[in-house]
Amino acid sequence: MNTQKLQSPANMNDMKSRMEKAAEMKDEDKLYRRDGILYSTVLSPPETMDKLKDLQAREDDLILVAYPKCGFNWMVAVLRKIMNASTGKDEKPPERPPLVEFLPPDVQEKLAEMPPRRLLGTHLHPDNMPATFFTKKPKILVVFRNPKDTLVSYYHFMNKNPLLPNAESWDKFFSDFMTGDVSWGSYFDHALAWEKRIDDPNVMIVMYEDLKQNLPEGVKKISEFFSLPLTDEQVSSIAGQSTFSAMVENSQKSHGNFGSIFFRKGEVGDWKNHFSDAQSKQMDELYQAKLAGTKLAARMNYDLYCQ
Ligand code: A3P
């Protein structure tokens, strides 16, 4: 491996070279702990995370937030299509996913030069996001997914993504997820943090399962939330291009060889093929202890999707 190539900033900004770098690392070096939470050593090193405190959000930014594996990349694609259709522009997606915690400090600085409206995303817990995501009051779209399917999706992602260590086993990953000892932290801590903000007019929470059920309605609601009006034809065209099968078909073009990492099954209920009865019960108990009775739980429809 040509390390000089990997160290040059231009190449370090490139996802492919960072994946190559991670592929050469030992699994135990791929994550590090910061304030108790695990992050990717290659993508979110301390200097990148430190720099986030300077990030200046703007009121007209589109902020997309999702705990890992809840449908972030799906919504990135939907949002880009909404932005293009509503503004009549044909902006090509940048090479890098719009996750602020993946942007090296020099690239974070360049965000200031980006014309409006910017799409900024993150998997971070609200407490660890740039403060201006809240003080400047940009609109924030949050995607959630039932915890059982999120766990299954995360498990497969660990084993396919060279940036993350392989899951030692299904049972080990299951218990790490339950205790929150996975990258970006505990699903339940994220959910409880958004529960506190669920009535904030600048926050809209959408559920993966609802989007699967009725994508045109989701596209319409999201476009209205961001004040990016669409015609009915545009709504149905965007929904048609954003189904799992349509996105998989286009994935070689949109994600190159990484397509198979981001698109796996795209279904609701795959947890039934993975969880033992005891694990299912354990998750039900954790859900009861942490989330039952919350507004977010009512939106999540846990009984329907997780029983
Ligand atoms: P599965 O692993 O269950 O298939 P994220 O982008 O947050 O990492 O989420 C990835 C999950 O979203 C994966 O779930 C992926 O297949 C699913 N996904 C991606 N595009 C989708 C689409 N158009 N429709 C439904 N699910 C999609």
Side-chain angles (χ1 to χ4, degrees):
M1 174 68 54
N2 180 345
T3 49
Q4 227 174 355
K5 180 179 156 206
L6 287 175
Q7 278 156 8
S8 91
N11 279 301
M12 278 305 289
N13 294 347
D14 165 53
M15 185 57 85
K16 188 159 169 269
S17 69
R18 295 208 251 176
M19 290 240 185
E20 283 169 4
K21 184 180 179 199
E24 295 208 330
M25 293 170 77
K26 287 194 209 124
D27 266 6
E28 61 264 35
D29 296 332
K30 289 182 182 172
L31 298 176
Y32 76 101
R33 207 175 285 277
R34 179 185 170 95
D35 299 332
I37 297 179
L38 293 168
Y39 296 104
S40 158
T41 314
V42 171
L43 292 177
S44 304
E47 60 273 21
T48 288
M49 299 295 286
D50 288 343
K51 184 75 184 162
L52 286 176
K53 69 176 183 331
D54 299 332
L55 200 156
Q56 293 302 314
R58 301 177 190 148
E59 199 185 337
D60 65 359
D61 285 337
L62 286 76
I63 310 283
L64 174 62
V65 180
Y67 183 79
K69 312 319 293 171
C70 286
F72 180 84
N73 291 285
W74 186 13
M75 287 306 105
V76 168
V78 164
L79 277 171
R80 291 217 164 104
K81 289 186 182 84
I82 292 175
M83 289 165 86
N84 275 349
S86 183
T87 58
K89 291 186 191 154
D90 187 20
E91 305 262 356
K92 295 280 165 284
E95 275 199 6
R96 204 178 290 115
L99 288 162
V100 291
E101 65 270 28
F102 286 4
L103 303 179
D106 59 325
V107 181
Q108 287 187 42
E109 278 178 10
K110 294 213 174 71
L111 286 175
E113 294 160 21
M114 265 176 83
R117 297 177 70 185
R118 304 176 303 185
L119 169 59
L120 304 177
T122 184
H123 291 324
L124 293 172
H125 184 286
D127 289 353
N128 301 319
M129 286 178 189
T132 53
F133 278 16
F134 296 104
T135 54
K136 285 279 159 65
K137 302 207 179 300
K139 294 267 178 79
I140 305 179
L141 176 68
V142 186
V143 197
F144 260 102
R145 184 181 192 182
N146 80 68
K148 290 186 179 175
D149 284 331
T150 304
L151 190 159
V152 168
S153 183
Y154 213 156
Y155 167 71
H156 289 288
F157 193 63
M158 297 287 292
N159 290 333
K160 285 199 282 188
N161 186 342
L163 291 161
L164 298 173
N166 277 330
E168 275 171 45
S169 67
W170 163 255
D171 287 346
K172 170 80 168 64
F173 185 76
F174 175 85
S175 71
D176 286 347
F177 185 97
M178 297 294 278
T179 55
D181 210 22
V182 291
S183 34
W184 285 282
S186 153
Y187 170 97
F188 290 96
D189 286 352
H190 282 238
L192 288 168
W194 286 109
E195 169 70 12
K196 283 191 208 150
R197 296 169 171 87
I198 202 163
D199 293 323
D200 184 330
N202 294 310
V203 171
M204 181 162 89
I205 298 186
V206 292
M207 293 294 161
Y208 179 99
E209 293 77 12
D210 292 343
L211 294 162
K212 281 289 290 185
Q213 188 80 22
N214 191 340
L215 189 51
E217 188 181 88
V219 170
K220 194 167 168 16
K221 272 169 53 179
I222 293 167
S223 71
E224 285 167 355
F225 174 65
F226 284 117
S227 305
L228 289 166
L230 297 174
T231 64
D232 290 349
E233 289 72 26
Q234 286 173 321
V235 168
S236 71
S237 159
I238 291 170
Q241 293 164 43
S242 309
T243 61
F244 184 73
S245 54
M247 285 186 64
V248 168
E249 211 169 292
N250 189 45
S251 65
Q252 186 58 38
K253 216 170 117 198
S254 61
H255 291 78
N257 293 337
F258 303 119
S260 63
I261 297 177
F262 291 109
F263 303 99
R264 189 185 63 91
K265 242 179 169 178
E267 285 175 7
V268 177
D270 193 33
W271 65 269
K272 290 177 186 159
N273 300 315
H274 293 74
F275 278 57
S276 67
D277 288 347
Q279 286 169 335
S280 180
K281 194 162 167 277
Q282 218 180 310
M283 178 67 91
D284 295 346
E285 284 165 5
L286 188 59
Y287 167 85
Q288 275 298 326
K290 297 272 191 184
L291 280 185
T294 61
K295 288 183 180 176
L296 186 65
R299 298 279 314 282
M300 196 173 276
N301 226 335
Y302 186 90
D303 290 351
L304 178 64
Y305 296 117
C306 291
Q307 301 287 335

